[in-house]
Amino acid sequence: MTSVSTPGTAQSAPLPADWRDFFALTKPRVMSLVIFTGLCGLLAAPVSVNPVLGFTAILCIALGAGGSAALNMWWEADIDAQMKRTAARPLPAGRMPRESARDFGLILSLISVLIMAVGVGYLAAAVLAFSIFYYAVIYTMWLKPRTPQNIVIGGGAGAFPPMIGWIAATGEITLMPILLFAIIFFWTPPHFWALALFVETDYAKAGIPMMPVVAGQHSTRRQILVYAVLLLPLAMLPFWIAGAGVVYGASALLLSAIFLVLALRVAVFRQGVGETDMGPEKRLFAFSVFYLFALFAALVADRWIMG
Amino acid sequence: MPSFPDPEAERKRIIKQRNWMLGGLLVGMVVLFYYITIARLGG
């Protein structure tokens, strides 16, 4: 906990956490991606949404993501303390008690689901509640520390926002929101494993069974390629089933082809090489972030251009 | 001589800041619920 001592006196009582520490608990960078994909799901739906209710839906998705992120940080404070990337977070740095993070996460989660239910609809609220439970309990508490497939399972949590956005707009679950879910689900493993390949030592130190730590680099690179191969036809499916038009179809084909080439470079050309330069892995990781933004932006552009 | 912040003053500053944030959030919620009600009444 933060404390300030006066010279010549005993250690004073710890200071309360600053509001910025609470904000940091919500993982603002992750939240920006969640807001973007949720908004895309909402805007790509084939109905016009009242702006106030649309704003409310996105606010609830953001609050739910923030709440589940705070619960994640509460549960993983000890692990975060062992990793350079996460050691400065409010809990491992000792700027607030663990219980504060837990209570903050629970309150945010509860508020997000309640406002979604009252303001937008019960189905969207139910899916939002399940997504929070999925990330905080199924992924963080149960499977992440137990299986090297943790990233595959965790991908499900990140895949909910566009689905919730779509359901908030239409009030029903159809094939399109399930496809949007599936695209992010299959995008997540190559995205995170590319990152894990060049921060491998950090995860190993914290005892998290990341794929490169458990199965080795060779297997991880091969699996990155498998997911990239699967992602191409999956990203094209909204076009093939006429859920999206030619603007989306052309964008999805181009983006997925580049993604596949970068994954090939990581998987095929570097197998068994004892390299120290992680350029291809870093390029794949950087492009994967752009890929998701561009693909969903194309989906919305397609809906607004093609009607 | 280096100057040290007074812990009590620092505590009051942080709590005051947090109260303002919380108050702002509550006012924001009231405004949001007002507009949600208007939007839903409007069909």
Side-chain angles (χ1 to χ4, degrees):
Chain A
M1 276 176 237
T2 309
S3 61
V4 180
S5 57
T6 310
T9 64
Q11 186 85 1
S12 59
L15 288 172
D18 196 72
W19 67 269
R20 292 174 196 84
D21 293 323
F22 284 97
F23 183 64
L25 286 180
T26 63
K27 297 190 182 178
R29 278 189 203 169
V30 176
M31 199 195 275
S32 65
L33 191 65
V34 164
I35 290 172
F36 177 76
T37 55
L39 187 63
C40 287
L42 190 92
L43 295 177
V47 290
S48 61
V49 185
N50 181 299
V52 174
L53 300 185
F55 170 80
T56 306
I58 297 303
L59 179 72
C60 292
I61 291 171
L63 289 177
S68 53
L71 291 171
N72 170 278
M73 285 207 202
W74 159 64
W75 190 260
E76 294 190 340
D78 297 332
I79 295 167
D80 285 348
Q82 297 173 53
M83 294 171 58
K84 199 167 69 179
R85 187 173 63 86
T86 52
R89 285 175 175 175
L91 291 180
R95 294 198 299 276
M96 74 165 64
R98 285 180 80 150
E99 295 75 23
S100 296
R102 179 198 60 198
D103 298 345
F104 180 65
L106 286 173
I107 289 169
L108 271 191
S109 303
L110 194 66
I111 286 176
S112 68
V113 174
L114 283 176
I115 297 178
M116 186 74 104
V118 174
V120 181
Y122 293 116
L123 186 59
V127 180
L128 177 65
F130 181 72
S131 72
I132 295 168
F133 177 78
Y134 186 99
Y135 182 68
V137 178
I138 297 178
Y139 170 64
T140 301
M141 297 179 190
W142 183 25
L143 294 173
K144 186 176 177 183
R146 285 179 176 80
T147 166
Q149 293 295 331
N150 47 22
I151 287 306
V152 179
I153 297 146
F160 277 108
M163 191 184 195
I164 299 169
W166 186 289
I167 296 168
T170 63
E172 57 186 15
I173 300 177
T174 52
L175 185 58
M176 266 302 282
I178 293 170
L179 279 179
L180 299 183
F181 177 95
I183 288 169
I184 299 186
F185 186 82
F186 279 84
W187 164 88
T188 306
H191 166 74
F192 270 107
W193 284 336
L195 174 72
L197 280 171
F198 57 87
V199 291
E200 184 187 352
T201 49
D202 234 12
Y203 283 114
K205 190 178 156 196
I208 296 293
M210 272 296 183
M211 193 59 82
V213 179
V214 177
Q217 289 213 2
H218 181 89
S219 171
T220 306
R221 289 167 193 279
R222 201 180 57 232
Q223 291 187 63
I224 283 176
L225 182 61
V226 169
Y227 278 96
V229 168
L230 290 172
L231 190 58
L232 197 148
L234 191 64
M236 291 301 294
L237 263 178
F239 173 67
W240 287 332
I241 64 160
V246 71
V247 173
Y248 172 82
S251 307
L253 184 63
L254 180 67
L255 288 165
S256 303
I258 296 171
F259 195 100
L260 188 57
V261 169
L262 292 175
L264 262 171
R265 284 186 180 162
V266 169
V268 177
F269 301 133
R270 295 168 69 77
Q271 276 185 9
V273 180
E275 67 279 336
T276 50
D277 165 41
M278 285 285 180
E281 291 74 15
K282 288 177 182 172
R283 274 192 289 280
L284 176 63
F285 176 73
F287 182 78
S288 67
V289 176
F290 173 76
Y291 174 89
L292 201 66
F293 272 102
L295 192 74
F296 277 80
L299 187 69
V300 176
D302 186 90
R303 155 105 173 93
W304 290 86
I305 293 168
M306 308 300 282
Chain B
M1 281 280 288
S3 61
F4 293 91
D6 175 17
E8 201 48 44
E10 186 68 2
R11 173 187 298 277
K12 280 181 181 165
R13 186 191 68 79
I14 291 173
I15 290 175
K16 191 176 169 185
Q17 215 171 38
R18 278 170 51 171
N19 287 346
W20 273 107
M21 293 294 293
L22 193 60
L25 285 175
L26 288 174
V27 171
M29 295 269 277
V30 170
V31 173
L32 180 67
F33 270 96
Y34 171 76
Y35 279 107
I36 287 175
T37 309
I38 298 293
R40 290 190 79 92
L41 283 175

